[in-house]
Amino acid sequence: MARGVIARYRDFLPVTEATPHITIGEGDTPLVAAPKLAQVIGCRELYFKLEGCNPTGSFKDRGMVLAVAKAVEEGRRSIICASTGNTSASAAAFGARCGLDTFVVVPRGNIALGKLAQALMYGARVLAIDGSFDEALNIVRAITEQHPVALVNSINPYRLEGQKTAAFEVVDELGDAPDYLCIPVGNAGNISAYWKGFCEYHQRGRAARRPRLLGFQAEGAAPIVRGHAVPNPQTVATAIRIGNPASWQLAVQARDESGGLIDMVSDAEILEAYRLMASVEGIFGEPASAAPFAGLRKLVRERRAGLDLSGARIVCVVTGSGLKDPTTAMDVAPGYSILPPTLDAVEAAMGW
Ligand code: F0G
């Protein structure tokens, strides 16, 4: 099979002869059945789409490869983005690969350690502001209006074009769209991209139907659910700590056209789901990536009307790897034993 999302799905992407063939191995991520957690939800089938298996550890690589390829095609020498972390890691990796100068503007103190380490190692110029992601995005937008640097946030349409390939993969693997697709919502690009992907595959006869989309924000950062921008968003899931999403309208459209919903989950619910996914199914996503499973549990608990989950085939998107955020993992994980280096001590600690 062709490597990378551009080669694999070029018939569905806005690429030309002049678009460079870039890949660092993005896409083609596993769709893993989770039978024990399916029982917890009471649904027929539950799958996790492991987007943390992308080369920089998040789904951002699917859209970034295309955004950077198009920037190179257009003769750009530098790229910039605002980011809660993952976009910056992905931009930095593809920027390095293509010899571009990469600038990333991030909210200081609210970016997971692994993501910051990645951006630095890939060689990006990291500009940390004492402000929010939303402020960073406003600054970056203003910069790209005045300077010849390519914007690679998801308001760049090539980002969503690349990200829609995840929906293609889900259909290619299952043979059709699932009944429900559950996804975290931050800047609201990814839910919009999945919807675009499902619609295009449906139109082109690759899928008989389209799923209902269930999006989940964090309670302290839930502008779409509350119906107004949140000036000072707060959540342990720093990836989705966003108060005024750029693709707000597209996400609402995706929600409504699909007959789905966008709801919110508390940090406690997110952290509980985060631990369950890892300890029951061996699926370690970052906190934001646990929001969909947390949301499903909430819908079941509340016996939400209009949703028939019992006979359903459900896919939850695990948007980023748990290794991105070792700090939160260590905060919520159980403790471990520190022992003298003797057989007796280790045996005793094992309960023998
Ligand atoms: N999950 C993870 C792990 C993310 O990094 C993001 C967004 C989302 C979910 C939400 O996706 O914004 O398309 O609704 N991260 C961006 C970033 C904002 O800068 O890395 P969205």
Side-chain angles (χ1 to χ4, degrees):
M1 194 182 8
R3 263 238 169 255
V5 301
I6 295 181
R8 189 167 172 207
Y9 291 112
R10 60 180 305 121
D11 293 347
F12 293 85
L13 297 172
V15 294
T16 67
E17 291 294 301
T19 312
H21 291 251
I22 301 169
T23 181
I24 54 174
E26 68 291 336
D28 196 18
T29 58
L31 186 69
V32 178
K36 284 186 279 183
L37 291 185
Q39 277 184 10
V40 169
I41 298 301
C43 60
R44 183 163 59 89
E45 290 171 31
L46 177 67
Y47 297 88
F48 288 101
K49 175 80 170 152
L50 302 192
E51 289 291 278
C53 294
N54 277 295
T56 77
S58 85
F59 71 94
K60 303 289 180 177
D61 295 340
R62 293 178 182 278
M64 198 58 71
V65 67
L66 193 63
V68 170
K70 296 304 274 190
V72 170
E73 182 180 338
E74 291 160 11
R76 302 301 190 101
R77 301 294 314 143
S78 58
I79 56 176
I80 189 168
C81 64
S83 182
T84 57
N86 282 323
T87 301
S88 68
S90 189
F94 285 100
R97 185 81 176 183
C98 296
L100 305 176
D101 291 327
T102 305
F103 300 91
V104 305
V105 184
V106 299
R108 186 166 82 98
N110 285 297
I111 159 169
L113 190 60
K115 305 174 188 179
L116 184 57
Q118 286 180 287
L120 293 168
M121 281 300 291
Y122 293 130
R125 287 280 305 281
V126 175
L127 312 169
I129 61 164
D130 280 318
S132 65
F133 167 84
D134 304 283
E135 289 169 298
L137 185 57
N138 287 338
I139 292 168
V140 161
R141 281 175 131 144
I143 287 174
T144 55
E145 278 162 21
Q146 286 159 27
H147 303 284
V149 47
L151 178 69
V152 295
N153 278 106
S154 55
I155 40 185
N156 175 330
Y158 297 122
R159 281 279 313 281
L160 299 198
E161 288 293 325
Q163 282 172 213
K164 76 186 179 189
T165 61
F168 297 165
E169 288 180 13
V170 169
V171 173
D172 287 343
E173 184 118 1
L174 293 179
D176 203 347
D179 297 298
Y180 294 94
L181 183 113
C182 308
I183 187 164
V185 176
N187 213 24
N190 210 27
I191 189 171
S192 311
Y194 268 86
W195 186 238
K196 190 167 199 298
F198 284 121
C199 289
E200 287 181 14
Y201 244 32
H202 180 61
Q203 275 156 16
R204 307 233 325 224
R206 300 280 186 108
R209 58 211 186 98
R210 303 179 300 182
R212 295 170 75 178
L213 300 185
L214 307 179
F216 297 99
Q217 302 195 293
E219 266 180 19
I224 298 178
V225 182
R226 297 184 190 281
H228 57 80
V230 174
N232 186 18
Q234 295 297 339
T235 170
V236 68
T238 52
I240 52 172
R241 188 173 173 274
I242 294 176
N244 191 12
S247 298
W248 188 322
Q249 290 315 320
L250 282 178
V252 166
Q253 199 182 324
R255 176 195 71 191
D256 295 344
E257 285 179 12
S258 77
L261 56 81
I262 297 180
D263 200 347
M264 58 189 177
V265 283
S266 69
D267 279 5
E269 289 167 328
I270 288 173
L271 293 176
E272 177 77 16
Y274 173 64
R275 278 193 285 128
L276 266 181
M277 286 163 58
S279 61
V280 175
E281 296 283 13
I283 289 173
F284 185 26
E286 63 172 281
S289 303
F293 184 66
L296 268 182
R297 292 181 78 205
K298 178 181 172 187
L299 297 178
V300 169
R301 196 176 59 237
E302 294 180 352
R303 299 177 203 280
R304 194 67 67 87
L307 295 176
D308 175 23
L309 300 179
S310 61
R313 181 184 242 189
I314 304 175
V315 172
C316 288
V317 185
V318 183
T319 46
S321 164
L323 297 175
K324 293 274 192 175
D325 188 356
T327 315
T328 303
M330 292 307 286
D331 283 348
V332 308
Y336 60 99
S337 310
I338 297 170
L339 303 168
T342 65
L343 181 59
D344 284 355
V346 175
E347 267 182 349
M350 292 171 72
W352 277 321

